[in-house]
Amino acid sequence: MKTKKYLFGFLIGIVNALFGAGGGMIAVPFLRTLGLSQKQAQATAICVILPLTVVSSVIYYVRGYFTLSDAAPFLLFGFPGAILGTLLLSKLKNSFLQTLFSVFMLWAGFRMAVG
């Protein structure tokens, strides 16, 4: 089981770096297979993805893929959004959260497919 966790961790890191935090799309379903509730899986995925995203961001910044002025407006409003989302997580039922996550994944996939 540990080997499976290490392999998924590696895969999550690659997907996260390639698709901009898309590692959560893999992490959440994997964590659910380990027996975590939807809330626990989503919270754990955020905990895992944060350091991965920081590492990727530093490398991308150093290589000139983005500027801080590009990111600033998203960070400015992203922080309050993250706080609100965290507070909402505790209020939502696992079944609703799982449905919402699934719908978001389908919507994101559709948007990517049709351009």
Side-chain angles (χ1 to χ4, degrees):
M1 181 57 92
K2 277 190 177 185
T3 303
K4 188 175 179 181
K5 289 179 182 179
Y6 296 145
L7 179 62
F8 266 93
F10 184 71
L11 181 62
I12 290 165
I14 291 172
V15 170
N16 192 65
L18 284 175
F19 301 125
M25 299 293 189
I26 294 172
V28 171
F30 175 70
L31 292 166
R32 294 279 291 136
T33 67
L34 297 178
L36 275 67
S37 72
Q38 187 69 28
K39 289 178 185 179
Q40 290 172 318
Q42 288 185 212
T44 303
I46 293 294
C47 181
V48 167
I49 288 168
L50 175 64
L52 301 177
T53 302
V54 169
V55 169
S56 299
S57 296
V58 169
I59 294 169
Y60 287 147
Y61 180 75
V62 168
R63 292 189 175 185
Y65 286 112
F66 75 94
T67 65
L68 292 177
S69 62
D70 291 335
F74 299 99
L75 291 171
L76 180 65
F77 290 95
F79 284 121
I83 292 167
L84 179 61
T86 302
L87 296 173
L88 283 174
L89 181 74
S90 64
K91 306 262 187 256
L92 300 175
K93 292 183 179 181
N94 275 315
S95 59
F96 177 76
L97 202 53
Q98 186 171 352
T99 301
L100 189 62
F101 183 80
S102 299
V103 168
F104 176 76
M105 285 181 60
L106 290 170
W107 177 77
F110 175 76
R111 295 279 301 158
M112 293 296 291
V114 298

